[in-house]
Amino acid sequence: MTLGQKIRERRESLGLTRRQVALACNVVESTVINWETDRHVPKLYPVQMKALCDLLNFTLEDLVEI
């Protein structure tokens, strides 16, 4: 499973929208779409990465295990 697939699957299982993820990470919604389609890997500041992990109940290890 790719990183994008992990992000999308977890977001959907938690009933979150892409917009909610984008707002939590302080990025635009198209950025989240690019992550989920594996066009880009999340390149976030530590505080943004923490927000993503907290929102999706991921650890950093969960995100890097591909």
Side-chain angles (χ1 to χ4, degrees), residues 18-34:
R18 289 179 175 139
R19 180 166 172 72
Q20 289 171 307
V21 175
L23 289 172
C25 296
N26 198 30
V27 297
V28 294
E29 190 173 346
S30 62
T31 299
V32 177
I33 292 168
N34 286 333

Side-chain angles (χ1 to χ4, degrees), residues 43-62:
K43 294 179 184 171
L44 301 169
Y45 291 108
V47 70
Q48 292 169 303
M49 186 60 76
K50 180 174 180 350
L52 178 65
C53 289
D54 289 348
L55 183 67
L56 300 179
N57 299 319
F58 276 133
T59 64
L60 287 175
E61 292 78 20
D62 292 332

Side-chain angles (χ1 to χ4, degrees), residues 2-25:
T2 68
L3 177 57
Q5 290 169 330
K6 285 183 178 185
I7 292 171
R8 182 178 183 169
E9 186 176 284
R10 183 63 60 92
R11 176 185 61 77
E12 289 176 345
S13 73
L14 293 170
L16 298 170
T17 65
R18 289 179 175 139
R19 180 166 172 72
Q20 289 171 307
V21 175
L23 289 172
C25 296

